[in-house]
Amino acid sequence: MGDVLHQLQFSLSITGPICLMLILGVVFKRIGLINDNFIEVGSKLVFQVTLPTMLFLSIVVSKHDFSAASGFVNYGIIASILFFVFAYISVKLLFKDSPNQGVIIQGSYRANTGIIGIAFVANAYGSQGVALAALYVAVTTFIYNVQAVICLSPKKAASGAQTAKLMLRTLTKNPLIISILSGMAFYVLSIPVPDVVVDAGNYLAKMTLPLALLCTGASLNFSLMKKEKGPSWFAGSYKLIVAPLLITFGAYLVGFRGIELGILFFMNASPVAAASYVMVRSMGGNAVLAANIIAFTTVLSAVTCTVGIVILKAYGLI
């Protein structure tokens, strides 16, 4: 009994602060302390400035041996692609006549690695974990965007060249990818970063998770959760249960343990990314369903992630 309580306490020490920050975001919005303008500006600040700064610094000042992480990164790439194919086929078979197939597919695989995933990893492993997780964020952000264009593009609506151009524009303008690739370049080439820049960057980096989580919580729309429950439950179960279960179990079979296995679990146990709503809306899809899936998975992820941590900790895997 004592072991179970210890494992539960460890799990809540990781998911609890994140859950509380999300709740504070909801409360602050309800009492008028946060408004829609704050959410828009705050989210933009996080995505374009503070989160890229945090990821860049986590790589530049890290003592992690990134050359030894090639297997970890390669597994993340393969697992992300295979799960996308699995989700794509599943949705095509189970929602044959639905006009929302692309939205459901994206909601089944696209994790919020940049905010919730990083927050989980930061709570569990600190700056060393964030540095390694940044590599995972880089490759999956690239893959997620390509997959989103594939599943959301209307049939016969665009040529291959137009689709490729959209993918390229989406990827080359992504601040997260730019910051991580820049960080890797500085790290590999041993380019020194002045202490004053690192100190100033740390001020920005420390803003990231509190501001991001507050904005995420404040942007939740619980009324949307009552709409289109079938597709939402399907996408939510794939994102919060099937994805972390299959990808983490696969990583275990391959031989990953400790921090690498933990990062793979946290990243894939994260809820659906807010960027999925932006992609759906920009490509003319069902934005209400996309927002519903985001809210649904964000609320339930605290529970499913806590359960997953308890199980992995019980078997001494993380």
Side-chain angles (χ1 to χ4, degrees):
M1 185 65 180
D3 288 342
V4 174
L5 290 176
H6 176 72
Q7 290 151 11
L8 183 60
Q9 183 180 14
F10 174 78
S11 302
L12 291 175
S13 70
I14 297 172
T15 60
I18 296 167
C19 186
L20 287 175
M21 290 300 293
L22 292 172
I23 292 172
L24 282 175
V26 174
V27 173
F28 290 167
K29 177 71 182 300
R30 290 284 177 88
I31 64 177
L33 201 57
I34 289 177
N35 58 23
D36 290 333
N37 184 58
F38 177 92
I39 297 170
E40 182 180 354
V41 174
S43 298
K44 187 179 294 185
L45 182 64
V46 168
F47 183 68
Q48 295 184 358
V49 180
T50 68
L51 182 55
T53 300
M54 184 179 79
L55 296 175
F56 175 83
L57 288 178
S58 69
I59 294 172
V60 170
V61 303
S62 173
K63 294 180 174 60
H64 195 89
D65 182 11
F66 290 113
S67 61
S70 58
F72 167 78
V73 173
N74 290 335
Y75 177 81
I77 294 171
I78 294 169
S80 296
I81 294 173
L82 289 179
F83 190 78
F84 171 76
V85 173
F86 173 66
Y88 190 95
I89 294 172
S90 299
V91 173
K92 291 294 183 181
L93 290 175
L94 297 174
F95 295 87
K96 291 182 180 179
D97 301 321
S98 175
N100 300 317
Q101 288 181 347
V103 181
I104 301 170
I105 293 168
Q106 187 181 217
S108 300
Y109 78 83
R110 187 164 190 163
N112 193 339
T113 57
I115 295 176
I116 306 295
I118 285 289
F120 283 143
V121 172
N123 283 354
Y125 301 114
S127 57
Q128 182 185 6
V130 171
L132 185 57
L135 300 181
Y136 188 90
V137 172
V139 296
T140 53
T141 299
F142 180 88
I143 293 170
Y144 287 165
N145 280 286
V146 172
Q147 292 170 338
V149 174
I150 292 172
C151 67
L152 292 172
S153 293
K155 293 180 181 178
K156 301 179 182 179
S159 66
Q162 288 174 316
T163 301
K165 188 182 294 184
L166 178 60
M167 287 183 186
L168 185 63
R169 187 170 67 248
T170 302
L171 296 171
T172 55
K173 291 185 177 181
N174 190 301
L176 304 187
I177 294 178
I178 294 171
S179 68
I180 293 169
L181 292 179
S182 300
M184 289 303 300
F186 272 69
Y187 180 86
V188 171
L189 299 175
S190 299
I191 300 174
V193 180
D195 290 341
V196 65
V197 174
V198 173
D199 291 340
N202 282 327
Y203 287 136
L204 288 172
K206 288 174 182 177
M207 292 172 55
T208 302
L209 296 181
L211 182 57
L213 293 172
L214 282 176
C215 290
T216 300
S219 63
L220 292 178
N221 189 335
F222 296 102
S223 63
L224 292 177
M225 295 177 66
K226 300 175 183 178
K227 301 178 181 179
E228 303 191 73
K229 292 181 180 179
S232 298
W233 273 98
F234 178 88
S237 63
Y238 261 52
K239 180 73 237 30
L240 299 180
I241 299 174
V242 181
L245 181 63
L246 291 181
I247 294 176
T248 306
F249 184 64
Y252 170 78
L253 294 179
V254 171
F256 291 108
R257 300 291 187 276
I259 186 171
E260 292 180 331
L261 185 66
I263 290 173
L264 288 167
F265 168 74
F266 289 130
M267 289 297 175
N268 288 285
S270 300
V272 178
S276 64
Y277 173 82
V278 178
M279 287 293 291
V280 168
R281 190 167 182 174
S282 66
M283 299 186 73
N286 188 339
V288 173
L289 176 59
N292 186 25
I293 295 172
I294 293 168
F296 179 76
T297 55
T298 301
V299 171
L300 291 184
S301 63
V303 177
T304 55
C305 191
T306 299
V307 172
I309 297 170
V310 170
I311 295 172
L312 292 173
K313 188 67 176 176
Y315 288 94
L317 300 178
I318 61 173

